[in-house]
Amino acid sequence: MLVTLNELLKDAKEKKYAVGAFNVPNLEAIRAVIQAAEELGSPVILQHAEVHENLISLDEIGPIMLQYARAAKVPVAVHLDHGASFEMCVKAIRLGFTSVMYDASSKEYEVNLAESKEIVKIAHAVGVSVEAELGHIFTSAVGGGEGRGSDSSEDYEDLEDVYTDPDLAKAFVEETGVDCLAIGFGTVHGIYLKEPKLDLNRILQIKEKIDVPFVMHGGSGVSEENYRTAIKNGICKINYYTYMNKAAGKVLQEELENFSGDSVFFDELSLSATEAMKNNVKAAMEIFMNP
């Protein structure tokens, strides 16, 4: 069933678990995520990231995401991830998405504040939830499809410049009225090339200032222990894509390397990729839902 992000995160916040949010730039990914959620009886978030417009457009994939959400046996929110423009956010709202993320985190604080506030007015007028981002999420050189280039903690003289400031977070949420906030505490978009420098206490410091659901971006590749601590400290939504995508690629590579027949059929490969993603998503969901 199709629901708002607010509905999902309110329950997650009260019961101290996290809802998985999965980017789905193709039909195989949509089917894998919905199947995983239904098999576990878990709520879930289907996401389209604006940077995946090169893979498939919002106009093409959006209606399919909504169709699967409405038909699902579990609660499903349909979300625009890392919307970089008003136009994309409004398009998602008009299509029927139940939440949007407006990402102005790379802009000056005052600009992020003003623009996020405007998106909240537009979205809340039609009952759509809004996520914003404050701070910085690092981007890996490998598989970092949601980021803006490649960077790491070594690129910054002081990590205080990239971790979310608790006082700024309080002012930002109170003035904009956003429903949830993506915070920077050391996670990475893409594949972890080395152990991340996570400041998990940062989540608690922000929680002391504001009582809204927090979002972890760069959720793939985090250790099970760190997932559990992050959720305990206040993370209610975890964005996950790279390692699910990698799981599909790995099984296809293995099947092609071991293939001994006369013909390769895409439909069979498609089913294998879907199954691999489903199993990877289920493993993540089981941790998110049972911290």
Side-chain angles (χ1 to χ4, degrees), residues 7-66:
E7 291 176 74
L8 293 189
L9 298 191
K10 179 182 178 182
D11 190 68
K13 182 171 172 290
E14 289 176 355
K15 298 177 181 176
K16 299 187 184 303
Y17 65 88
V19 184
F22 302 89
N23 291 110
V24 287
N26 49 60
L27 181 60
E28 287 80 7
I30 295 174
R31 294 181 68 199
V33 171
I34 294 296
Q35 287 172 19
E38 289 186 335
E39 288 181 17
L40 293 177
S42 169
V44 73
I45 301 158
L46 296 180
Q47 299 189 150
H48 175 73
E50 185 169 346
V51 295
H52 287 161
E53 287 285 297
N54 65 317
L55 301 176
I56 192 167
S57 71
L58 177 63
D59 289 327
E60 293 175 89
I61 198 72
I64 302 171
M65 294 166 67
L66 288 161

Side-chain angles (χ1 to χ4, degrees), residues 86-99:
F86 278 36
E87 292 77 14
M88 184 62 74
C89 289
V90 170
K91 180 184 286 189
I93 292 169
R94 286 176 173 166
L95 277 173
F97 278 40
T98 56
S99 64

Side-chain angles (χ1 to χ4, degrees), residues 2-276:
L2 182 65
V3 299
T4 67
L5 186 63
N6 271 353
E7 291 176 74
L8 293 189
L9 298 191
K10 179 182 178 182
D11 190 68
K13 182 171 172 290
E14 289 176 355
K15 298 177 181 176
K16 299 187 184 303
Y17 65 88
V19 184
F22 302 89
N23 291 110
V24 287
N26 49 60
L27 181 60
E28 287 80 7
I30 295 174
R31 294 181 68 199
V33 171
I34 294 296
Q35 287 172 19
E38 289 186 335
E39 288 181 17
L40 293 177
S42 169
V44 73
I45 301 158
L46 296 180
Q47 299 189 150
H48 175 73
E50 185 169 346
V51 295
H52 287 161
E53 287 285 297
N54 65 317
L55 301 176
I56 192 167
S57 71
L58 177 63
D59 289 327
E60 293 175 89
I61 198 72
I64 302 171
M65 294 166 67
L66 288 161
Q67 177 185 338
Y68 271 80
R70 293 187 183 104
K73 299 174 184 176
V74 294
V76 183
V78 178
H79 178 74
L80 176 69
D81 184 34
H82 286 284
S85 65
F86 278 36
E87 292 77 14
M88 184 62 74
C89 289
V90 170
K91 180 184 286 189
I93 292 169
R94 286 176 173 166
L95 277 173
F97 278 40
T98 56
S99 64
V100 296
M101 177 195 184
Y102 181 64
D103 183 6
S105 60
S106 63
K107 300 179 180 180
E108 293 294 329
Y109 172 79
E110 293 299 335
V111 176
N112 188 0
L113 182 75
E115 293 184 356
S116 297
K117 190 174 181 179
E118 193 62 30
I119 286 292
V120 168
K121 288 180 184 177
I122 295 168
H124 282 186
V126 289
V128 171
S129 311
V130 179
E131 174 186 335
E133 183 176 315
L134 195 63
H136 182 84
I137 287 77
F138 300 117
T139 302
S140 166
V142 183
E146 295 177 24
R148 295 173 289 275
S150 172
D151 64 353
S152 71
S153 58
E154 278 70 28
D155 295 327
Y156 298 88
E157 292 184 7
D158 187 352
L159 289 178
E160 287 297 320
D161 294 336
V162 292
Y163 292 157
T164 301
D165 179 272
D167 291 320
L168 276 183
K170 181 177 187 296
F172 184 88
V173 169
E174 289 178 350
E175 188 161 346
T176 61
V178 295
D179 300 289
C180 58
L181 186 67
I183 56 176
F185 56 97
T187 52
V188 174
H189 286 131
I191 293 173
Y192 282 84
L193 303 177
K194 53 190 171 183
E195 190 73 20
K197 297 178 180 178
L198 301 184
D199 183 0
L200 295 167
N201 285 331
R202 177 74 47 153
I203 307 169
L204 287 174
Q205 292 167 10
I206 301 169
K207 191 175 181 180
E208 288 176 0
K209 302 285 184 177
I210 46 174
D211 190 31
V212 297
F214 298 137
V215 181
M216 174 195 289
H217 283 237
S220 296
V222 174
S223 71
E224 183 172 335
E225 179 184 358
N226 285 338
Y227 276 135
R228 296 188 189 283
T229 301
I231 295 167
K232 177 184 176 183
N233 289 359
I235 293 294
C236 298
K237 173 178 181 273
I238 299 177
N239 285 21
Y240 189 102
Y241 172 68
T242 300
Y243 282 62
M244 153 188 150
N245 191 31
K246 183 183 176 184
K250 181 181 179 182
V251 76
L252 295 184
Q253 182 179 19
E254 290 172 351
E255 290 198 6
L256 290 172
E257 287 176 350
N258 297 325
F259 183 74
S260 59
D262 296 325
S263 301
V264 176
F265 292 102
F266 176 73
D267 57 354
E268 295 176 1
L269 294 177
S270 171
L271 291 175
S272 295
T274 301
E275 185 71 11

